Structure formats: C-alpha cells, structure tokens
Amino acid sequence: MPNWKVIFDPVETFKGLQAHHVRIPESMQSKAPALRVNPFTPQQPIVDPSKFAGRGAVIINAVDSLFNHKNLIITGERGIGKSSVAYQLLYLAKGERALLEKINIDTGGFAFHHLIGDHRCVIGNTLIDIVESWRNSLSMSLGPLTNKHKEKWDFTLDLKLFKISHSHEFHRIDVSELVSATINMLEDVKQKYGYNYNGISLLIDEIDALSEEVKIAPFLKAVTEALKFKGHDDISFILAGVTGTITELVIQHPSVNRLFENIPLLKMETTELQELINSALANTKTSINSETMAAIIGLADNYPEPVHLLGYHTYRYDSNKILENDDLDRAISFIVKELKRQEFDGLYDKASEDIQGLVLRTLAGIERTEISYEEVASQLNLKKRYVASVLGALLEKGLLIKADRGKFKIRSPLFKIYLRWVLKI
Ligand SMILES: Nc1ncnc2c1ncn2[C@@H]1O[C@H](COP(=O)(O)OP(=O)(O)OP(=O)(O)O)[C@@H](O)[C@H]1O
Ligand SMILES: [Mg+2]
C-alpha cells in the first residue's frame, strides 16, 4: 500500500472516534505534471530558424559581411545568444533561406551555397583540434555530393604535428606549419569540390574556452592573410566568444581587429522576446497569458537564456494549456529554491562581511530594481562614502551590477527573489 497522507473529520460514533470524509489534502492533489516535449530550450542554441527570434539588424549586417567575404567575430555576455546567431549564419551560408525570408533580406537573386566547417571549443583544445574539426565537418557537409557521384571525399590535413598534440606538448606546436597545412587542406577542398559551391564558411564557437597558450589570433591572422594573398576571397571565418580575456585578446590583436568585423550582441528588446515566446509556443496548442509573458521577460531582465529557463518550467507546470501566473510562480520557486540554489548560495556567501550582508539585505528589501547609494546610506543611516565603497565591493564580487546614472541593481531578478527568500524579507 502506498504511504498516503490524508486528512479527515473525526466523528464520535458508537464504535468510538472514526475518520469520516477522508480525503487527500489539496496540496497533494495536483498530479505530477505529465511528461511532454518542452518547446523551450534553455541549454541549447537555437538551430531551427523558425524559433530564432529578433536580431534582425545583427543578421542583416552579418549576411552583408558574409556576402562581401568579411570575417566576423560575435561577442557578448554569457548566454546572450552568440552560438544561436553563429549557427543561423552557418545555415544561411549553407543555403537555408527561411531566416532570410523571415527578416526580409533581399540578396538580389544571389543564393549562398557554402561548404561549412565548424568547431566548438572546450577547455584543453588546441589549434589542431580546431582544424581537425573543420576537416571533419567540411567532409560531412560534402556528404550528399559525394554520394551522388559515388565517390569518396578525400582531402587530408597533412600534419606532422599530430604526435606532438597527443603528447600534450601544445606550446611547441609550430603555428606556421599548421597554417600551411590548413591552407593546403582548404585549397584541396576547393580544387576538388569547389565547382559546386560559392564559398566556404568556417566557425569557431566558444573561443573563450581556449587557454591563453593557444595562439589563436596569430594563427587566424596568418591563415586569413595567406588566403587573401593567394586570391581565395570566398572563405570566411566566424568566431564567437564571451566578452572577456581571450575574446578580448583576439579582438584587440591589431590584425584581428582589422581582419574581423566585430558583432557585439546586446540584451534583446521586449518585442523580440515576445516573439521568442510566441514562436516557441507555436504548434504546441498552448497559449500564454499576456501578464505572465510580461512577467517572464521582466524576470529575465531581457536576456534570452532566462526566458527559455522560465518558459521551460512554466510550461512544465502548466496543466491547462494556458501558461498563467500560478504556473510561473511554481517555476520561479523551483528555479530559485532548487535549480539555482547552489549557484545563488555560492554568490550570497561572497558577501562575507557583515556590512556587505546588511547592504545586500537593504537592496533586496526595496521593490524598485535600480537603487542609488544615497538611498541605501540614508536607510542605514551611514556615511554615503562608506556605503559607496561597500557597494563597489559587492559589484566587484558580481553580486550587483551597475545600472544607469550611477545606480546599482542586484545581479538578476531571480537572485533578488532568492535573497528575499533566504533573508525572509
Ligand atoms: N535569437 C534568439 N531566439 C530565440 N532564442 C534565443 C535567441 N538567442 C538566444 N536564445 C536562447 O538563449 C539561450 C542562450 O543562447 P546561446 O547558447 O546562443 O547563447 P551564447 O551567447 O552562445 O551562450 P554562451 O555564452 O553560454 O556560449 C539558449 O537557450 C538559446 O536557445
Ligand atoms: Mg555559445
């Protein structure tokens, strides 16, 4: 027998006290939500162009760059949508027209038909790993062509360096040898299969995962310059990485800066995020209450990743095919108290000094998002300059972020909800 908790009305009968009107408490009645395919994808870049929202101006500029054989570097904060943009560009370059039509880009009759190579960096990757991935994915994108002609693709990356890479002596890799091997490989591909394509696009995503020893900037400079020199102006490179040290290094490398067009991604507009939610829900027979939609976008602070995260769990809790505030409330509670609990605990622990905790509590207690240091100082009856220095320390530790006009705000609305919950505000 399952061990169910029930409630009942005790009634005095001739047999003594008996349980009448036995029932399952309301809080236990809600059935576990049924499993269903969730249209929100908080952990994956958008691959389906029909689910890719907004970013019209970015895509138009990037397509123009690809058309004019420029190289691109997509940068922005973690989770802002860099990989999603990069993948859409690769699809576009390959010949997929859906996004072009959605954004209404006139290519003047030109149709992209590029061969595609891509690599997603993970910690420990070397330049050889990148070029090897390009080789593998280029050969895969040749697939249908080779089948039709019943021939096997054959082009190799002729490297004497493999032994070195496998013995982990990465720093001794001879960049110039890798550069010539890469050029030879690309020339080989073009010579053998180029008649069927009008370009090659090569992606390196997550470049921030590379260590500083990986000399990506000099490598790219040498490859792009050699290609230009040899007249191969139909090969474009697309890089994507979180704004930070490595990405910055690449951008700031004098030649990369000249050879790559920087595409910085910013937060998304509310209308773009409405489009994101609506296109995710399309074909699910599920709708969303407009108030709930606005609340999700507000809680996500206009970043796409938390919209997917909140959307995912709101959808998971929904049982009547309308996403409403009560579904969202359960989603928030789950995210703050379970899913992100460890991350938020770790952040909160960083407010190590008592005064930092006190200032954080004060900020969490104010309904408004953006708060000035004068306001905190007057609430705590402390010197303004002292409060400003505490806020500066919290900012450095990543608990706060700068808002407009010298104001501060708590790192994210979800973290604020967490703080109010742990501090019992
Ligand atoms: N234009 C968009 N339309 C719909 N969803 C988007 C869009 N941009 C990003 N997303 C969603 O936001 C989340 C983060 O996107 P993505 O992985 O592309 O970001 P990123 O900047 O590459 O992240 P990271 O810094 O972790 O590499 C994913 O869930 C993705 O589906
Ligand atoms: Mg990414």
mmCIF file of all heavy atoms in Angstrom, residues 40-47 51-55 75-88 205-206 208 240-242 265 268 272-273 275-277 279 303-309, ligand 1:
data_model
loop_
_atom_site.group_PDB
_atom_site.id
_atom_site.type_symbol
_atom_site.label_atom_id
_atom_site.label_comp_id
_atom_site.label_asym_id
_atom_site.label_seq_id
_atom_site.Cartn_x
_atom_site.Cartn_y
_atom_site.Cartn_z
ATOM 1 N N PHE A 40 10.718 24.978 -24.986
ATOM 2 C CA PHE A 40 11.772 25.918 -24.568
ATOM 3 C C PHE A 40 13.082 25.143 -24.389
ATOM 4 O O PHE A 40 13.070 24.005 -23.908
ATOM 5 C CB PHE A 40 11.375 26.632 -23.273
ATOM 6 C CG PHE A 40 10.213 27.556 -23.470
ATOM 7 C CD1 PHE A 40 8.917 27.129 -23.194
ATOM 8 C CD2 PHE A 40 10.395 28.839 -23.958
ATOM 9 C CE1 PHE A 40 7.826 27.969 -23.397
ATOM 10 C CE2 PHE A 40 9.314 29.686 -24.167
ATOM 11 C CZ PHE A 40 8.025 29.253 -23.883
ATOM 12 N N THR A 41 14.181 25.776 -24.795
ATOM 13 C CA THR A 41 15.460 25.057 -24.804
ATOM 14 C C THR A 41 16.543 25.869 -24.092
ATOM 15 O O THR A 41 17.410 26.456 -24.745
ATOM 16 C CB THR A 41 15.915 24.821 -26.264
ATOM 17 O OG1 THR A 41 15.909 26.110 -26.931
ATOM 18 C CG2 THR A 41 15.002 23.878 -27.012
ATOM 19 N N PRO A 42 16.461 25.938 -22.758
ATOM 20 C CA PRO A 42 17.410 26.820 -22.073
ATOM 21 C C PRO A 42 18.868 26.411 -22.221
ATOM 22 O O PRO A 42 19.754 27.207 -21.992
ATOM 23 C CB PRO A 42 16.988 26.732 -20.602
ATOM 24 C CG PRO A 42 16.094 25.566 -20.495
ATOM 25 C CD PRO A 42 15.552 25.262 -21.850
ATOM 26 N N GLN A 43 19.114 25.164 -22.596
ATOM 27 C CA GLN A 43 20.518 24.756 -22.642
ATOM 28 C C GLN A 43 21.082 24.650 -24.042
ATOM 29 O O GLN A 43 22.224 24.278 -24.217
ATOM 30 C CB GLN A 43 20.682 23.409 -21.937
ATOM 31 C CG GLN A 43 20.579 23.579 -20.437
ATOM 32 C CD GLN A 43 20.463 22.273 -19.719
ATOM 33 O OE1 GLN A 43 20.167 21.250 -20.319
ATOM 34 N NE2 GLN A 43 20.677 22.322 -18.427
ATOM 35 N N GLN A 44 20.259 24.937 -25.049
ATOM 36 C CA GLN A 44 20.785 24.760 -26.408
ATOM 37 C C GLN A 44 20.628 26.007 -27.246
ATOM 38 O O GLN A 44 19.599 26.671 -27.172
ATOM 39 C CB GLN A 44 20.005 23.646 -27.126
ATOM 40 C CG GLN A 44 20.251 22.284 -26.550
ATOM 41 C CD GLN A 44 19.005 21.440 -26.599
ATOM 42 O OE1 GLN A 44 18.109 21.715 -27.395
ATOM 43 N NE2 GLN A 44 18.932 20.458 -25.742
ATOM 44 N N PRO A 45 21.638 26.264 -28.067
ATOM 45 C CA PRO A 45 21.469 27.365 -29.016
ATOM 46 C C PRO A 45 20.325 27.015 -29.969
ATOM 47 O O PRO A 45 20.017 25.842 -30.173
ATOM 48 C CB PRO A 45 22.793 27.376 -29.782
ATOM 49 C CG PRO A 45 23.739 26.545 -29.005
ATOM 50 C CD PRO A 45 22.943 25.595 -28.208
ATOM 51 N N ILE A 46 19.701 28.065 -30.517
ATOM 52 C CA ILE A 46 18.585 27.842 -31.431
ATOM 53 C C ILE A 46 19.115 27.353 -32.773
ATOM 54 O O ILE A 46 19.950 28.011 -33.387
ATOM 55 C CB ILE A 46 17.816 29.170 -31.628
ATOM 56 C CG1 ILE A 46 17.093 29.542 -30.349
ATOM 57 C CG2 ILE A 46 16.858 29.110 -32.807
ATOM 58 C CD1 ILE A 46 15.938 28.676 -29.971
ATOM 59 N N VAL A 47 18.638 26.208 -33.188
ATOM 60 C CA VAL A 47 19.061 25.730 -34.513
ATOM 61 C C VAL A 47 17.954 25.924 -35.557
ATOM 62 O O VAL A 47 18.224 26.213 -36.711
ATOM 63 C CB VAL A 47 19.525 24.246 -34.472
ATOM 64 C CG1 VAL A 47 20.910 24.144 -33.870
ATOM 65 C CG2 VAL A 47 18.568 23.372 -33.709
ATOM 66 N N LYS A 51 12.416 29.281 -34.893
ATOM 67 C CA LYS A 51 12.400 29.560 -33.446
ATOM 68 C C LYS A 51 13.383 30.669 -33.081
ATOM 69 O O LYS A 51 13.510 31.050 -31.928
ATOM 70 C CB LYS A 51 12.782 28.298 -32.645
ATOM 71 C CG LYS A 51 11.978 27.074 -32.981
ATOM 72 C CD LYS A 51 10.642 27.109 -32.262
ATOM 73 C CE LYS A 51 9.813 25.891 -32.562
ATOM 74 N NZ LYS A 51 8.437 26.176 -32.873
ATOM 75 N N PHE A 52 14.121 31.139 -34.067
ATOM 76 C CA PHE A 52 15.114 32.177 -33.813
ATOM 77 C C PHE A 52 14.419 33.536 -33.846
ATOM 78 O O PHE A 52 13.848 33.929 -34.857
ATOM 79 C CB PHE A 52 16.219 32.100 -34.871
ATOM 80 C CG PHE A 52 17.295 33.129 -34.700
ATOM 81 C CD1 PHE A 52 18.349 32.916 -33.826
ATOM 82 C CD2 PHE A 52 17.251 34.328 -35.406
ATOM 83 C CE1 PHE A 52 19.341 33.873 -33.659
ATOM 84 C CE2 PHE A 52 18.239 35.291 -35.248
ATOM 85 C CZ PHE A 52 19.288 35.053 -34.369
ATOM 86 N N ALA A 53 14.453 34.237 -32.711
ATOM 87 C CA ALA A 53 13.685 35.480 -32.603
ATOM 88 C C ALA A 53 14.573 36.712 -32.757
ATOM 89 O O ALA A 53 15.742 36.699 -32.350
ATOM 90 C CB ALA A 53 12.990 35.510 -31.249
ATOM 91 N N GLY A 54 13.998 37.757 -33.316
ATOM 92 C CA GLY A 54 14.633 39.080 -33.330
ATOM 93 C C GLY A 54 15.983 39.107 -34.015
ATOM 94 O O GLY A 54 16.243 38.366 -34.963
ATOM 95 N N ARG A 55 16.842 40.011 -33.516
ATOM 96 C CA ARG A 55 18.219 40.150 -34.005
ATOM 97 C C ARG A 55 18.292 40.480 -35.497
ATOM 98 O O ARG A 55 19.289 40.136 -36.156
ATOM 99 C CB ARG A 55 19.032 38.870 -33.751
ATOM 100 C CG ARG A 55 19.112 38.444 -32.296
ATOM 101 C CD ARG A 55 20.244 39.142 -31.593
ATOM 102 N NE ARG A 55 20.494 38.621 -30.255
ATOM 103 C CZ ARG A 55 20.740 39.393 -29.202
ATOM 104 N NH1 ARG A 55 20.741 40.708 -29.326
ATOM 105 N NH2 ARG A 55 20.983 38.878 -28.024
ATOM 106 N N THR A 75 30.452 38.706 -30.286
ATOM 107 C CA THR A 75 30.826 38.770 -28.867
ATOM 108 C C THR A 75 29.636 39.186 -28.014
ATOM 109 O O THR A 75 28.658 39.748 -28.526
ATOM 110 C CB THR A 75 31.947 39.807 -28.655
ATOM 111 O OG1 THR A 75 31.477 41.073 -29.136
ATOM 112 C CG2 THR A 75 33.211 39.445 -29.392
ATOM 113 N N GLY A 76 29.727 38.926 -26.733
ATOM 114 C CA GLY A 76 28.669 39.351 -25.817
ATOM 115 C C GLY A 76 28.729 38.528 -24.542
ATOM 116 O O GLY A 76 29.513 37.581 -24.444
ATOM 117 N N GLU A 77 27.858 38.903 -23.595
ATOM 118 C CA GLU A 77 27.859 38.220 -22.305
ATOM 119 C C GLU A 77 27.461 36.755 -22.462
ATOM 120 O O GLU A 77 26.862 36.387 -23.466
ATOM 121 C CB GLU A 77 26.834 38.888 -21.385
ATOM 122 C CG GLU A 77 27.222 40.260 -20.932
ATOM 123 C CD GLU A 77 26.081 40.895 -20.152
ATOM 124 O OE1 GLU A 77 25.752 40.384 -19.073
ATOM 125 O OE2 GLU A 77 25.507 41.873 -20.655
ATOM 126 N N ARG A 78 27.740 35.984 -21.410
ATOM 127 C CA ARG A 78 27.345 34.576 -21.429
ATOM 128 C C ARG A 78 25.831 34.455 -21.617
ATOM 129 O O ARG A 78 25.074 35.189 -20.994
ATOM 130 C CB ARG A 78 27.785 33.915 -20.109
ATOM 131 C CG ARG A 78 27.462 32.463 -20.055
ATOM 132 C CD ARG A 78 28.402 31.642 -19.189
ATOM 133 N NE ARG A 78 29.800 31.615 -19.622
ATOM 134 C CZ ARG A 78 30.257 31.012 -20.726
ATOM 135 N NH1 ARG A 78 29.427 30.392 -21.535
ATOM 136 N NH2 ARG A 78 31.534 31.035 -21.023
ATOM 137 N N GLY A 79 25.420 33.585 -22.509
ATOM 138 C CA GLY A 79 24.007 33.296 -22.706
ATOM 139 C C GLY A 79 23.232 34.344 -23.483
ATOM 140 O O GLY A 79 22.011 34.302 -23.556
ATOM 141 N N ILE A 80 23.936 35.291 -24.094
ATOM 142 C CA ILE A 80 23.236 36.378 -24.791
ATOM 143 C C ILE A 80 22.692 35.931 -26.151
ATOM 144 O O ILE A 80 21.815 36.569 -26.728
ATOM 145 C CB ILE A 80 24.180 37.612 -24.931
ATOM 146 C CG1 ILE A 80 23.417 38.888 -25.266
ATOM 147 C CG2 ILE A 80 25.257 37.392 -25.975
ATOM 148 C CD1 ILE A 80 22.777 39.540 -24.113
ATOM 149 N N GLY A 81 23.254 34.820 -26.676
ATOM 150 C CA GLY A 81 22.752 34.316 -27.957
ATOM 151 C C GLY A 81 23.795 34.233 -29.057
ATOM 152 O O GLY A 81 23.449 34.183 -30.238
ATOM 153 N N LYS A 82 25.072 34.183 -28.688
ATOM 154 C CA LYS A 82 26.150 34.173 -29.686
ATOM 155 C C LYS A 82 26.107 32.919 -30.555
ATOM 156 O O LYS A 82 26.152 32.993 -31.778
ATOM 157 C CB LYS A 82 27.527 34.261 -28.995
ATOM 158 C CG LYS A 82 27.696 35.501 -28.140
ATOM 159 C CD LYS A 82 28.999 35.487 -27.379
ATOM 160 C CE LYS A 82 29.077 34.417 -26.319
ATOM 161 N NZ LYS A 82 28.118 34.533 -25.224
ATOM 162 N N SER A 83 26.006 31.746 -29.894
ATOM 163 C CA SER A 83 26.011 30.497 -30.673
ATOM 164 C C SER A 83 24.778 30.434 -31.561
ATOM 165 O O SER A 83 24.860 29.969 -32.702
ATOM 166 C CB SER A 83 26.035 29.282 -29.742
ATOM 167 O OG SER A 83 27.165 29.336 -28.926
ATOM 168 N N SER A 84 23.637 30.911 -31.047
ATOM 169 C CA SER A 84 22.417 30.882 -31.862
ATOM 170 C C SER A 84 22.610 31.699 -33.131
ATOM 171 O O SER A 84 22.271 31.250 -34.225
ATOM 172 C CB SER A 84 21.224 31.430 -31.068
ATOM 173 O OG SER A 84 21.016 30.660 -29.911
ATOM 174 N N VAL A 85 23.182 32.903 -32.991
ATOM 175 C CA VAL A 85 23.422 33.741 -34.171
ATOM 176 C C VAL A 85 24.420 33.042 -35.098
ATOM 177 O O VAL A 85 24.213 32.963 -36.308
ATOM 178 C CB VAL A 85 23.941 35.147 -33.753
ATOM 179 C CG1 VAL A 85 24.470 35.917 -34.958
ATOM 180 C CG2 VAL A 85 22.837 35.943 -33.077
ATOM 181 N N ALA A 86 25.487 32.497 -34.503
ATOM 182 C CA ALA A 86 26.522 31.848 -35.325
ATOM 183 C C ALA A 86 25.930 30.682 -36.115
ATOM 184 O O ALA A 86 26.204 30.538 -37.311
ATOM 185 C CB ALA A 86 27.666 31.365 -34.434
ATOM 186 N N TYR A 87 25.100 29.861 -35.468
ATOM 187 C CA TYR A 87 24.520 28.712 -36.187
ATOM 188 C C TYR A 87 23.578 29.172 -37.285
ATOM 189 O O TYR A 87 23.564 28.606 -38.374
ATOM 190 C CB TYR A 87 23.781 27.784 -35.221
ATOM 191 C CG TYR A 87 24.719 27.044 -34.305
ATOM 192 C CD1 TYR A 87 24.259 26.392 -33.176
ATOM 193 C CD2 TYR A 87 26.081 26.990 -34.564
ATOM 194 C CE1 TYR A 87 25.138 25.723 -32.334
ATOM 195 C CE2 TYR A 87 26.960 26.331 -33.737
ATOM 196 C CZ TYR A 87 26.484 25.698 -32.613
ATOM 197 O OH TYR A 87 27.351 25.043 -31.786
ATOM 198 N N GLN A 88 22.807 30.217 -37.000
ATOM 199 C CA GLN A 88 21.910 30.715 -38.047
ATOM 200 C C GLN A 88 22.723 31.182 -39.253
ATOM 201 O O GLN A 88 22.331 30.964 -40.389
ATOM 202 C CB GLN A 88 21.031 31.861 -37.518
ATOM 203 C CG GLN A 88 20.023 31.442 -36.462
ATOM 204 C CD GLN A 88 19.148 30.287 -36.898
ATOM 205 O OE1 GLN A 88 18.692 30.248 -38.027
ATOM 206 N NE2 GLN A 88 18.918 29.324 -36.006
ATOM 207 N N ASP A 205 33.335 28.418 -32.409
ATOM 208 C CA ASP A 205 32.447 28.924 -31.347
ATOM 209 C C ASP A 205 33.128 28.711 -29.990
ATOM 210 O O ASP A 205 34.014 27.868 -29.869
ATOM 211 C CB ASP A 205 31.108 28.157 -31.413
ATOM 212 C CG ASP A 205 30.014 28.861 -30.609
ATOM 213 O OD1 ASP A 205 30.269 29.978 -30.121
ATOM 214 O OD2 ASP A 205 28.922 28.299 -30.481
ATOM 215 N N GLU A 206 32.678 29.474 -29.008
ATOM 216 C CA GLU A 206 33.171 29.386 -27.624
ATOM 217 C C GLU A 206 34.690 29.584 -27.554
ATOM 218 O O GLU A 206 35.382 28.837 -26.859
ATOM 219 C CB GLU A 206 32.815 28.040 -26.948
ATOM 220 C CG GLU A 206 31.482 27.413 -27.318
ATOM 221 C CD GLU A 206 30.252 28.160 -26.798
ATOM 222 O OE1 GLU A 206 30.412 29.114 -26.015
ATOM 223 O OE2 GLU A 206 29.131 27.801 -27.203
ATOM 224 N N ASP A 208 36.262 31.573 -25.959
ATOM 225 C CA ASP A 208 36.676 31.915 -24.591
ATOM 226 C C ASP A 208 37.154 30.690 -23.822
ATOM 227 O O ASP A 208 37.803 30.812 -22.786
ATOM 228 C CB ASP A 208 35.534 32.616 -23.851
ATOM 229 C CG ASP A 208 34.217 31.898 -24.030
ATOM 230 O OD1 ASP A 208 33.590 32.046 -25.114
ATOM 231 O OD2 ASP A 208 33.818 31.170 -23.126
ATOM 232 N N ALA A 240 33.022 33.180 -32.298
ATOM 233 C CA ALA A 240 32.067 33.636 -31.283
ATOM 234 C C ALA A 240 32.651 33.345 -29.909
ATOM 235 O O ALA A 240 33.237 32.274 -29.689
ATOM 236 C CB ALA A 240 30.727 32.927 -31.452
ATOM 237 N N GLY A 241 32.511 34.305 -29.009
ATOM 238 C CA GLY A 241 33.050 34.095 -27.669
ATOM 239 C C GLY A 241 32.537 35.118 -26.676
ATOM 240 O O GLY A 241 32.164 36.230 -27.051
ATOM 241 N N VAL A 242 32.528 34.714 -25.410
ATOM 242 C CA VAL A 242 32.092 35.603 -24.333
ATOM 243 C C VAL A 242 33.085 36.754 -24.209
ATOM 244 O O VAL A 242 34.295 36.531 -24.257
ATOM 245 C CB VAL A 242 32.060 34.839 -22.984
ATOM 246 C CG1 VAL A 242 31.711 35.761 -21.840
ATOM 247 C CG2 VAL A 242 31.092 33.682 -23.056
ATOM 248 N N LEU A 265 26.706 41.486 -29.333
ATOM 249 C CA LEU A 265 25.282 41.225 -29.070
ATOM 250 C C LEU A 265 24.884 41.856 -27.739
ATOM 251 O O LEU A 265 25.571 41.696 -26.733
ATOM 252 C CB LEU A 265 25.006 39.722 -29.011
ATOM 253 C CG LEU A 265 25.182 38.932 -30.291
ATOM 254 C CD1 LEU A 265 24.683 37.506 -30.112
ATOM 255 C CD2 LEU A 265 24.428 39.577 -31.454
ATOM 256 N N MET A 268 18.074 41.666 -25.483
ATOM 257 C CA MET A 268 17.055 41.715 -26.541
ATOM 258 C C MET A 268 15.921 42.664 -26.166
ATOM 259 O O MET A 268 15.661 42.912 -24.985
ATOM 260 C CB MET A 268 16.532 40.298 -26.816
ATOM 261 C CG MET A 268 17.609 39.414 -27.441
ATOM 262 S SD MET A 268 17.110 37.699 -27.699
ATOM 263 C CE MET A 268 16.108 37.828 -29.170
ATOM 264 N N GLU A 272 11.186 41.455 -29.152
ATOM 265 C CA GLU A 272 11.940 40.296 -29.665
ATOM 266 C C GLU A 272 11.704 39.083 -28.752
ATOM 267 O O GLU A 272 11.589 37.955 -29.218
ATOM 268 C CB GLU A 272 13.435 40.605 -29.721
ATOM 269 C CG GLU A 272 13.803 41.693 -30.730
ATOM 270 C CD GLU A 272 15.310 41.948 -30.787
ATOM 271 O OE1 GLU A 272 15.916 42.176 -29.725
ATOM 272 O OE2 GLU A 272 15.876 41.927 -31.874
ATOM 273 N N LEU A 273 11.618 39.357 -27.455
ATOM 274 C CA LEU A 273 11.417 38.240 -26.515
ATOM 275 C C LEU A 273 9.970 37.749 -26.545
ATOM 276 O O LEU A 273 9.698 36.565 -26.315
ATOM 277 C CB LEU A 273 11.859 38.648 -25.108
ATOM 278 C CG LEU A 273 13.376 38.875 -25.036
ATOM 279 C CD1 LEU A 273 13.781 39.528 -23.727
ATOM 280 C CD2 LEU A 273 14.132 37.561 -25.206
ATOM 281 N N GLU A 275 8.357 37.659 -29.292
ATOM 282 C CA GLU A 275 8.422 36.811 -30.486
ATOM 283 C C GLU A 275 9.045 35.456 -30.140
ATOM 284 O O GLU A 275 8.579 34.403 -30.598
ATOM 285 C CB GLU A 275 9.262 37.524 -31.561
ATOM 286 C CG GLU A 275 9.393 36.754 -32.856
ATOM 287 C CD GLU A 275 10.521 37.297 -33.762
ATOM 288 O OE1 GLU A 275 10.886 38.484 -33.643
ATOM 289 O OE2 GLU A 275 11.029 36.494 -34.565
ATOM 290 N N LEU A 276 10.086 35.489 -29.292
ATOM 291 C CA LEU A 276 10.743 34.231 -28.871
ATOM 292 C C LEU A 276 9.726 33.291 -28.216
ATOM 293 O O LEU A 276 9.615 32.115 -28.573
ATOM 294 C CB LEU A 276 11.871 34.570 -27.885
ATOM 295 C CG LEU A 276 12.798 33.445 -27.400
ATOM 296 C CD1 LEU A 276 14.106 34.024 -26.875
ATOM 297 C CD2 LEU A 276 12.192 32.564 -26.347
ATOM 298 N N ILE A 277 8.939 33.850 -27.273
ATOM 299 C CA ILE A 277 7.979 33.010 -26.545
ATOM 300 C C ILE A 277 6.889 32.518 -27.500
ATOM 301 O O ILE A 277 6.539 31.338 -27.504
ATOM 302 C CB ILE A 277 7.375 33.794 -25.354
ATOM 303 C CG1 ILE A 277 8.480 34.112 -24.338
ATOM 304 C CG2 ILE A 277 6.229 33.016 -24.700
ATOM 305 C CD1 ILE A 277 8.071 35.028 -23.198
ATOM 306 N N SER A 279 7.007 32.143 -30.734
ATOM 307 C CA SER A 279 7.434 31.142 -31.722
ATOM 308 C C SER A 279 7.755 29.813 -31.047
ATOM 309 O O SER A 279 7.587 28.759 -31.655
ATOM 310 C CB SER A 279 8.576 31.637 -32.613
ATOM 311 O OG SER A 279 9.572 32.211 -31.849
ATOM 312 N N TYR A 303 17.193 39.096 -21.099
ATOM 313 C CA TYR A 303 18.175 38.145 -21.645
ATOM 314 C C TYR A 303 17.414 36.930 -22.173
ATOM 315 O O TYR A 303 16.446 36.490 -21.542
ATOM 316 C CB TYR A 303 19.151 37.671 -20.561
ATOM 317 C CG TYR A 303 20.187 38.707 -20.209
ATOM 318 C CD1 TYR A 303 19.991 39.601 -19.165
ATOM 319 C CD2 TYR A 303 21.374 38.793 -20.937
ATOM 320 C CE1 TYR A 303 20.946 40.561 -18.853
ATOM 321 C CE2 TYR A 303 22.325 39.746 -20.631
ATOM 322 C CZ TYR A 303 22.114 40.621 -19.587
ATOM 323 O OH TYR A 303 23.056 41.558 -19.296
ATOM 324 N N PRO A 304 17.856 36.366 -23.303
ATOM 325 C CA PRO A 304 17.089 35.240 -23.854
ATOM 326 C C PRO A 304 17.191 33.951 -23.029
ATOM 327 O O PRO A 304 16.221 33.199 -22.942
ATOM 328 C CB PRO A 304 17.706 35.030 -25.245
ATOM 329 C CG PRO A 304 19.053 35.667 -25.196
ATOM 330 C CD PRO A 304 18.972 36.769 -24.180
ATOM 331 N N GLU A 305 18.350 33.719 -22.407
ATOM 332 C CA GLU A 305 18.526 32.424 -21.721
ATOM 333 C C GLU A 305 17.540 32.253 -20.562
ATOM 334 O O GLU A 305 16.844 31.236 -20.480
ATOM 335 C CB GLU A 305 19.993 32.283 -21.282
ATOM 336 C CG GLU A 305 20.372 30.896 -20.851
ATOM 337 C CD GLU A 305 20.228 30.686 -19.356
ATOM 338 O OE1 GLU A 305 20.126 31.677 -18.586
ATOM 339 O OE2 GLU A 305 20.199 29.515 -18.948
ATOM 340 N N PRO A 306 17.397 33.246 -19.664
ATOM 341 C CA PRO A 306 16.408 33.062 -18.593
ATOM 342 C C PRO A 306 14.960 33.016 -19.089
ATOM 343 O O PRO A 306 14.107 32.429 -18.429
ATOM 344 C CB PRO A 306 16.632 34.253 -17.650
ATOM 345 C CG PRO A 306 17.682 35.086 -18.241
ATOM 346 C CD PRO A 306 18.246 34.440 -19.446
ATOM 347 N N VAL A 307 14.698 33.617 -20.269
ATOM 348 C CA VAL A 307 13.336 33.497 -20.822
ATOM 349 C C VAL A 307 13.065 32.028 -21.130
ATOM 350 O O VAL A 307 12.004 31.483 -20.809
ATOM 351 C CB VAL A 307 13.150 34.370 -22.089
ATOM 352 C CG1 VAL A 307 11.837 34.030 -22.798
ATOM 353 C CG2 VAL A 307 13.178 35.847 -21.737
ATOM 354 N N HIS A 308 14.065 31.364 -21.728
ATOM 355 C CA HIS A 308 13.895 29.940 -22.017
ATOM 356 C C HIS A 308 13.771 29.131 -20.725
ATOM 357 O O HIS A 308 12.973 28.205 -20.635
ATOM 358 C CB HIS A 308 15.082 29.408 -22.821
ATOM 359 C CG HIS A 308 14.921 29.599 -24.303
ATOM 360 N ND1 HIS A 308 14.221 28.719 -25.092
ATOM 361 C CD2 HIS A 308 15.343 30.570 -25.131
ATOM 362 C CE1 HIS A 308 14.240 29.137 -26.344
ATOM 363 N NE2 HIS A 308 14.903 30.267 -26.395
ATOM 364 N N LEU A 309 14.579 29.490 -19.721
ATOM 365 C CA LEU A 309 14.569 28.736 -18.463
ATOM 366 C C LEU A 309 13.211 28.870 -17.764
ATOM 367 O O LEU A 309 12.596 27.878 -17.358
ATOM 368 C CB LEU A 309 15.688 29.260 -17.547
ATOM 369 C CG LEU A 309 15.858 28.525 -16.234
ATOM 370 C CD1 LEU A 309 16.394 27.119 -16.479
ATOM 371 C CD2 LEU A 309 16.821 29.277 -15.313
HETATM 372 N N1 LIG B 1 17.525 34.983 -31.080
HETATM 373 C C1 LIG B 1 17.129 34.020 -30.254
HETATM 374 N N2 LIG B 1 15.887 33.484 -30.373
HETATM 375 C C2 LIG B 1 15.480 32.514 -29.538
HETATM 376 N N3 LIG B 1 16.225 32.012 -28.544
HETATM 377 C C3 LIG B 1 17.456 32.517 -28.368
HETATM 378 C C4 LIG B 1 17.971 33.529 -29.213
HETATM 379 N N4 LIG B 1 19.210 33.837 -28.794
HETATM 380 C C5 LIG B 1 19.471 33.031 -27.769
HETATM 381 N N5 LIG B 1 18.432 32.225 -27.499
HETATM 382 C C6 LIG B 1 18.362 31.218 -26.419
HETATM 383 O O1 LIG B 1 19.124 31.716 -25.325
HETATM 384 C C7 LIG B 1 19.939 30.702 -24.765
HETATM 385 C C8 LIG B 1 21.398 31.085 -24.909
HETATM 386 O O2 LIG B 1 21.715 31.153 -26.299
HETATM 387 P P1 LIG B 1 23.134 30.771 -26.891
HETATM 388 O O3 LIG B 1 23.585 29.435 -26.426
HETATM 389 O O4 LIG B 1 23.077 31.031 -28.330
HETATM 390 O O5 LIG B 1 23.991 31.902 -26.167
HETATM 391 P P2 LIG B 1 25.558 32.076 -26.080
HETATM 392 O O6 LIG B 1 25.799 33.523 -26.022
HETATM 393 O O7 LIG B 1 26.245 31.297 -27.151
HETATM 394 O O8 LIG B 1 25.846 31.393 -24.676
HETATM 395 P P3 LIG B 1 27.280 31.007 -24.083
HETATM 396 O O9 LIG B 1 27.880 32.296 -23.615
HETATM 397 O O10 LIG B 1 26.949 30.094 -22.940
HETATM 398 O O11 LIG B 1 28.069 30.342 -25.164
HETATM 399 C C9 LIG B 1 19.560 29.411 -25.478
HETATM 400 O O12 LIG B 1 18.540 28.813 -24.741
HETATM 401 C C10 LIG B 1 19.010 29.882 -26.804
HETATM 402 O O13 LIG B 1 18.069 28.971 -27.256
#
